[in-house]
Structure formats: structure tokens, C-alpha cells
PDB file of all heavy atoms in Angstrom:
ATOM      1  N   ASP H 248       0.711 -14.624  -4.223  1.00  0.00           N
ATOM      2  CA  ASP H 248       2.160 -14.359  -4.138  1.00  0.00           C
ATOM      3  C   ASP H 248       2.367 -13.198  -3.149  1.00  0.00           C
ATOM      4  O   ASP H 248       1.771 -12.085  -3.354  1.00  0.00           O
ATOM      5  CB  ASP H 248       2.701 -14.068  -5.497  1.00  0.00           C
ATOM      6  CG  ASP H 248       4.179 -13.739  -5.429  1.00  0.00           C
ATOM      7  OD1 ASP H 248       4.962 -14.603  -5.127  1.00  0.00           O
ATOM      8  OD2 ASP H 248       4.521 -12.541  -5.714  1.00  0.00           O
ATOM      9  N   ALA H 249       3.215 -13.362  -2.147  1.00  0.00           N
ATOM     10  CA  ALA H 249       3.457 -12.328  -1.153  1.00  0.00           C
ATOM     11  C   ALA H 249       4.059 -11.028  -1.729  1.00  0.00           C
ATOM     12  O   ALA H 249       3.700  -9.956  -1.338  1.00  0.00           O
ATOM     13  CB  ALA H 249       4.378 -12.895  -0.082  1.00  0.00           C
ATOM     14  N   ALA H 250       4.899 -11.204  -2.763  1.00  0.00           N
ATOM     15  CA  ALA H 250       5.485 -10.018  -3.368  1.00  0.00           C
ATOM     16  C   ALA H 250       4.467  -9.205  -4.124  1.00  0.00           C
ATOM     17  O   ALA H 250       4.429  -7.957  -4.088  1.00  0.00           O
ATOM     18  CB  ALA H 250       6.619 -10.441  -4.306  1.00  0.00           C
ATOM     19  N   LEU H 251       3.495  -9.917  -4.757  1.00  0.00           N
ATOM     20  CA  LEU H 251       2.438  -9.197  -5.501  1.00  0.00           C
ATOM     21  C   LEU H 251       1.510  -8.505  -4.545  1.00  0.00           C
ATOM     22  O   LEU H 251       1.054  -7.374  -4.771  1.00  0.00           O
ATOM     23  CB  LEU H 251       1.629 -10.218  -6.349  1.00  0.00           C
ATOM     24  CG  LEU H 251       0.474  -9.655  -7.193  1.00  0.00           C
ATOM     25  CD1 LEU H 251       0.988  -8.686  -8.226  1.00  0.00           C
ATOM     26  CD2 LEU H 251      -0.250 -10.830  -7.868  1.00  0.00           C
ATOM     27  N   LEU H 252       1.257  -9.116  -3.336  1.00  0.00           N
ATOM     28  CA  LEU H 252       0.419  -8.476  -2.325  1.00  0.00           C
ATOM     29  C   LEU H 252       1.090  -7.206  -1.840  1.00  0.00           C
ATOM     30  O   LEU H 252       0.456  -6.193  -1.643  1.00  0.00           O
ATOM     31  CB  LEU H 252       0.185  -9.463  -1.132  1.00  0.00           C
ATOM     32  CG  LEU H 252      -0.775 -10.659  -1.428  1.00  0.00           C
ATOM     33  CD1 LEU H 252      -0.660 -11.703  -0.330  1.00  0.00           C
ATOM     34  CD2 LEU H 252      -2.219 -10.148  -1.507  1.00  0.00           C
ATOM     35  N   ALA H 253       2.404  -7.254  -1.582  1.00  0.00           N
ATOM     36  CA  ALA H 253       3.100  -6.095  -1.159  1.00  0.00           C
ATOM     37  C   ALA H 253       3.070  -4.987  -2.200  1.00  0.00           C
ATOM     38  O   ALA H 253       2.862  -3.760  -1.871  1.00  0.00           O
ATOM     39  CB  ALA H 253       4.565  -6.419  -0.801  1.00  0.00           C
ATOM     40  N   GLU H 254       3.264  -5.331  -3.450  1.00  0.00           N
ATOM     41  CA  GLU H 254       3.235  -4.370  -4.545  1.00  0.00           C
ATOM     42  C   GLU H 254       1.850  -3.749  -4.680  1.00  0.00           C
ATOM     43  O   GLU H 254       1.716  -2.566  -4.887  1.00  0.00           O
ATOM     44  CB  GLU H 254       3.680  -5.024  -5.852  1.00  0.00           C
ATOM     45  CG  GLU H 254       3.957  -4.025  -6.988  1.00  0.00           C
ATOM     46  CD  GLU H 254       4.464  -4.687  -8.233  1.00  0.00           C
ATOM     47  OE1 GLU H 254       4.796  -5.925  -8.164  1.00  0.00           O
ATOM     48  OE2 GLU H 254       4.556  -3.958  -9.263  1.00  0.00           O
ATOM     49  N   GLY H 255       0.851  -4.577  -4.477  1.00  0.00           N
ATOM     50  CA  GLY H 255      -0.513  -4.071  -4.575  1.00  0.00           C
ATOM     51  C   GLY H 255      -0.845  -3.104  -3.538  1.00  0.00           C
ATOM     52  O   GLY H 255      -1.530  -2.093  -3.652  1.00  0.00           O
ATOM     53  N   PHE H 256      -0.301  -3.363  -2.280  1.00  0.00           N
ATOM     54  CA  PHE H 256      -0.530  -2.451  -1.120  1.00  0.00           C
ATOM     55  C   PHE H 256       0.205  -1.124  -1.389  1.00  0.00           C
ATOM     56  O   PHE H 256      -0.301  -0.095  -1.006  1.00  0.00           O
ATOM     57  CB  PHE H 256      -0.085  -3.082   0.162  1.00  0.00           C
ATOM     58  CG  PHE H 256      -0.448  -2.305   1.388  1.00  0.00           C
ATOM     59  CD1 PHE H 256      -1.799  -2.237   1.742  1.00  0.00           C
ATOM     60  CD2 PHE H 256       0.459  -1.621   2.145  1.00  0.00           C
ATOM     61  CE1 PHE H 256      -2.167  -1.478   2.879  1.00  0.00           C
ATOM     62  CE2 PHE H 256       0.115  -0.899   3.231  1.00  0.00           C
ATOM     63  CZ  PHE H 256      -1.248  -0.841   3.608  1.00  0.00           C
ATOM     64  N   GLN H 257       1.360  -1.229  -2.009  1.00  0.00           N
ATOM     65  CA  GLN H 257       2.104   0.027  -2.310  1.00  0.00           C
ATOM     66  C   GLN H 257       1.282   0.898  -3.267  1.00  0.00           C
ATOM     67  O   GLN H 257       1.212   2.118  -3.141  1.00  0.00           O
ATOM     68  CB  GLN H 257       3.465  -0.363  -2.929  1.00  0.00           C
ATOM     69  CG  GLN H 257       4.373   0.891  -3.162  1.00  0.00           C
ATOM     70  CD  GLN H 257       5.721   0.486  -3.705  1.00  0.00           C
ATOM     71  OE1 GLN H 257       5.970  -0.690  -3.981  1.00  0.00           O
ATOM     72  NE2 GLN H 257       6.597   1.447  -3.856  1.00  0.00           N
ATOM     73  N   VAL H 258       0.700   0.272  -4.283  1.00  0.00           N
ATOM     74  CA  VAL H 258      -0.148   1.029  -5.254  1.00  0.00           C
ATOM     75  C   VAL H 258      -1.367   1.606  -4.486  1.00  0.00           C
ATOM     76  O   VAL H 258      -1.774   2.797  -4.728  1.00  0.00           O
ATOM     77  CB  VAL H 258      -0.637   0.055  -6.365  1.00  0.00           C
ATOM     78  CG1 VAL H 258      -1.666   0.774  -7.212  1.00  0.00           C
ATOM     79  CG2 VAL H 258       0.558  -0.407  -7.224  1.00  0.00           C
ATOM     80  N   PHE H 259      -1.942   0.844  -3.591  1.00  0.00           N
ATOM     81  CA  PHE H 259      -3.040   1.282  -2.803  1.00  0.00           C
ATOM     82  C   PHE H 259      -2.668   2.549  -1.971  1.00  0.00           C
ATOM     83  O   PHE H 259      -3.461   3.500  -1.978  1.00  0.00           O
ATOM     84  CB  PHE H 259      -3.469   0.187  -1.855  1.00  0.00           C
ATOM     85  CG  PHE H 259      -4.370   0.565  -0.695  1.00  0.00           C
ATOM     86  CD1 PHE H 259      -5.736   0.748  -0.920  1.00  0.00           C
ATOM     87  CD2 PHE H 259      -3.869   0.766   0.541  1.00  0.00           C
ATOM     88  CE1 PHE H 259      -6.570   1.132   0.144  1.00  0.00           C
ATOM     89  CE2 PHE H 259      -4.690   1.146   1.611  1.00  0.00           C
ATOM     90  CZ  PHE H 259      -6.024   1.293   1.412  1.00  0.00           C
ATOM     91  N   CYS H 260      -1.500   2.519  -1.303  1.00  0.00           N
ATOM     92  CA  CYS H 260      -1.051   3.643  -0.554  1.00  0.00           C
ATOM     93  C   CYS H 260      -0.847   4.881  -1.431  1.00  0.00           C
ATOM     94  O   CYS H 260      -1.212   5.978  -1.092  1.00  0.00           O
ATOM     95  CB  CYS H 260       0.183   3.325   0.241  1.00  0.00           C
ATOM     96  SG  CYS H 260      -0.093   2.129   1.583  1.00  0.00           S
ATOM     97  N   GLN H 261      -0.152   4.640  -2.558  1.00  0.00           N
ATOM     98  CA  GLN H 261       0.116   5.807  -3.472  1.00  0.00           C
ATOM     99  C   GLN H 261      -1.189   6.381  -4.003  1.00  0.00           C
ATOM    100  O   GLN H 261      -1.291   7.590  -4.141  1.00  0.00           O
ATOM    101  CB  GLN H 261       0.960   5.296  -4.609  1.00  0.00           C
ATOM    102  CG  GLN H 261       2.406   4.902  -4.252  1.00  0.00           C
ATOM    103  CD  GLN H 261       3.149   4.186  -5.377  1.00  0.00           C
ATOM    104  OE1 GLN H 261       2.574   3.842  -6.388  1.00  0.00           O
ATOM    105  NE2 GLN H 261       4.485   3.989  -5.151  1.00  0.00           N
ATOM    106  N   ARG H 262      -2.170   5.560  -4.261  1.00  0.00           N
ATOM    107  CA  ARG H 262      -3.444   6.011  -4.793  1.00  0.00           C
ATOM    108  C   ARG H 262      -4.181   6.990  -3.848  1.00  0.00           C
ATOM    109  O   ARG H 262      -4.810   7.940  -4.254  1.00  0.00           O
ATOM    110  CB  ARG H 262      -4.350   4.804  -5.070  1.00  0.00           C
ATOM    111  CG  ARG H 262      -5.625   5.136  -5.737  1.00  0.00           C
ATOM    112  CD  ARG H 262      -6.466   3.892  -5.888  1.00  0.00           C
ATOM    113  NE  ARG H 262      -5.969   2.969  -6.865  1.00  0.00           N
ATOM    114  CZ  ARG H 262      -6.439   1.729  -7.116  1.00  0.00           C
ATOM    115  NH1 ARG H 262      -7.553   1.353  -6.410  1.00  0.00           N
ATOM    116  NH2 ARG H 262      -5.892   0.950  -8.029  1.00  0.00           N
ATOM    117  N   HIS H 263      -3.961   6.726  -2.501  1.00  0.00           N
ATOM    118  CA  HIS H 263      -4.724   7.526  -1.519  1.00  0.00           C
ATOM    119  C   HIS H 263      -3.838   8.448  -0.671  1.00  0.00           C
ATOM    120  O   HIS H 263      -4.345   9.010   0.280  1.00  0.00           O
ATOM    121  CB  HIS H 263      -5.509   6.571  -0.606  1.00  0.00           C
ATOM    122  CG  HIS H 263      -6.546   5.788  -1.359  1.00  0.00           C
ATOM    123  ND1 HIS H 263      -7.730   6.299  -1.802  1.00  0.00           N
ATOM    124  CD2 HIS H 263      -6.514   4.469  -1.758  1.00  0.00           C
ATOM    125  CE1 HIS H 263      -8.420   5.391  -2.444  1.00  0.00           C
ATOM    126  NE2 HIS H 263      -7.709   4.231  -2.426  1.00  0.00           N
ATOM    127  N   GLY H 264      -2.554   8.509  -1.015  1.00  0.00           N
ATOM    128  CA  GLY H 264      -1.640   9.348  -0.274  1.00  0.00           C
ATOM    129  C   GLY H 264      -1.309   8.830   1.101  1.00  0.00           C
ATOM    130  O   GLY H 264      -0.968   9.656   2.008  1.00  0.00           O
ATOM    131  N   PHE H 265      -1.323   7.554   1.256  1.00  0.00           N
ATOM    132  CA  PHE H 265      -0.936   6.940   2.559  1.00  0.00           C
ATOM    133  C   PHE H 265       0.540   6.450   2.458  1.00  0.00           C
ATOM    134  O   PHE H 265       1.127   6.339   1.369  1.00  0.00           O
ATOM    135  CB  PHE H 265      -1.809   5.731   2.855  1.00  0.00           C
ATOM    136  CG  PHE H 265      -3.243   6.012   2.994  1.00  0.00           C
ATOM    137  CD1 PHE H 265      -4.205   5.188   2.441  1.00  0.00           C
ATOM    138  CD2 PHE H 265      -3.698   7.116   3.769  1.00  0.00           C
ATOM    139  CE1 PHE H 265      -5.563   5.451   2.594  1.00  0.00           C
ATOM    140  CE2 PHE H 265      -5.042   7.381   3.919  1.00  0.00           C
ATOM    141  CZ  PHE H 265      -5.980   6.549   3.296  1.00  0.00           C
ATOM    142  N   THR H 266       1.074   6.170   3.655  1.00  0.00           N
ATOM    143  CA  THR H 266       2.298   5.396   3.757  1.00  0.00           C
ATOM    144  C   THR H 266       2.049   4.191   4.587  1.00  0.00           C
ATOM    145  O   THR H 266       1.054   4.170   5.349  1.00  0.00           O
ATOM    146  CB  THR H 266       3.423   6.253   4.431  1.00  0.00           C
ATOM    147  OG1 THR H 266       3.042   6.433   5.827  1.00  0.00           O
ATOM    148  CG2 THR H 266       3.602   7.605   3.741  1.00  0.00           C
ATOM    149  N   PRO H 267       2.882   3.120   4.414  1.00  0.00           N
ATOM    150  CA  PRO H 267       2.625   1.933   5.285  1.00  0.00           C
ATOM    151  C   PRO H 267       2.578   2.303   6.753  1.00  0.00           C
ATOM    152  O   PRO H 267       1.858   1.591   7.537  1.00  0.00           O
ATOM    153  CB  PRO H 267       3.809   1.059   4.938  1.00  0.00           C
ATOM    154  CG  PRO H 267       4.162   1.418   3.563  1.00  0.00           C
ATOM    155  CD  PRO H 267       3.950   2.885   3.473  1.00  0.00           C
ATOM    156  N   GLN H 268       3.268   3.320   7.199  1.00  0.00           N
ATOM    157  CA  GLN H 268       3.289   3.724   8.610  1.00  0.00           C
ATOM    158  C   GLN H 268       1.940   4.286   9.052  1.00  0.00           C
ATOM    159  O   GLN H 268       1.678   4.377  10.269  1.00  0.00           O
ATOM    160  CB  GLN H 268       4.362   4.772   8.812  1.00  0.00           C
ATOM    161  CG  GLN H 268       5.821   4.192   8.759  1.00  0.00           C
ATOM    162  CD  GLN H 268       6.187   3.891   7.293  1.00  0.00           C
ATOM    163  OE1 GLN H 268       5.844   4.553   6.353  1.00  0.00           O
ATOM    164  NE2 GLN H 268       6.976   2.804   7.172  1.00  0.00           N
ATOM    165  N   THR H 269       1.105   4.665   8.056  1.00  0.00           N
ATOM    166  CA  THR H 269      -0.264   5.190   8.412  1.00  0.00           C
ATOM    167  C   THR H 269      -1.028   4.127   9.207  1.00  0.00           C
ATOM    168  O   THR H 269      -1.799   4.448  10.081  1.00  0.00           O
ATOM    169  CB  THR H 269      -1.042   5.567   7.117  1.00  0.00           C
ATOM    170  OG1 THR H 269      -0.242   6.557   6.385  1.00  0.00           O
ATOM    171  CG2 THR H 269      -2.399   6.130   7.483  1.00  0.00           C
ATOM    172  N   PHE H 270      -0.730   2.846   8.848  1.00  0.00           N
ATOM    173  CA  PHE H 270      -1.541   1.770   9.417  1.00  0.00           C
ATOM    174  C   PHE H 270      -0.726   1.019  10.455  1.00  0.00           C
ATOM    175  O   PHE H 270      -0.149  -0.037  10.197  1.00  0.00           O
ATOM    176  CB  PHE H 270      -1.993   0.833   8.295  1.00  0.00           C
ATOM    177  CG  PHE H 270      -2.665   1.482   7.119  1.00  0.00           C
ATOM    178  CD1 PHE H 270      -2.085   1.789   5.934  1.00  0.00           C
ATOM    179  CD2 PHE H 270      -4.006   2.020   7.349  1.00  0.00           C
ATOM    180  CE1 PHE H 270      -2.745   2.424   4.951  1.00  0.00           C
ATOM    181  CE2 PHE H 270      -4.660   2.676   6.353  1.00  0.00           C
ATOM    182  CZ  PHE H 270      -4.049   2.889   5.153  1.00  0.00           C
ATOM    183  N   CYS H 271      -0.633   1.647  11.615  1.00  0.00           N
ATOM    184  CA  CYS H 271       0.144   1.099  12.716  1.00  0.00           C
ATOM    185  C   CYS H 271      -0.589   0.111  13.549  1.00  0.00           C
ATOM    186  O   CYS H 271      -0.014  -0.525  14.472  1.00  0.00           O
ATOM    187  CB  CYS H 271       0.682   2.268  13.598  1.00  0.00           C
ATOM    188  SG  CYS H 271      -0.676   3.279  14.282  1.00  0.00           S
TER     189      CYS H 271
END
């Protein structure tokens, strides 16, 4: 599910102090 993938990536970023913009 695309929404679950997006939510999982958000958790991933929060866990390591990243933002989606980190990965340009």
C-alpha cells in the first residue's frame, strides 16, 4: 500500500532526524 510506504518512510525519517528533503 502506497500510503503505508509513505507512513513508514516518515517514521524512518523521524527515527534518524531526517526530512524527506534530505534525500534529494
Side-chain angles (χ1 to χ4, degrees):
D248 180 67
L251 182 61
L252 288 166
E254 191 176 351
F256 189 70
Q257 185 177 5
V258 172
F259 166 80
C260 289
Q261 291 171 350
R262 183 184 291 176
H263 298 286
F265 299 136
T266 67
Q268 290 70 37
T269 304
F270 306 105
C271 57

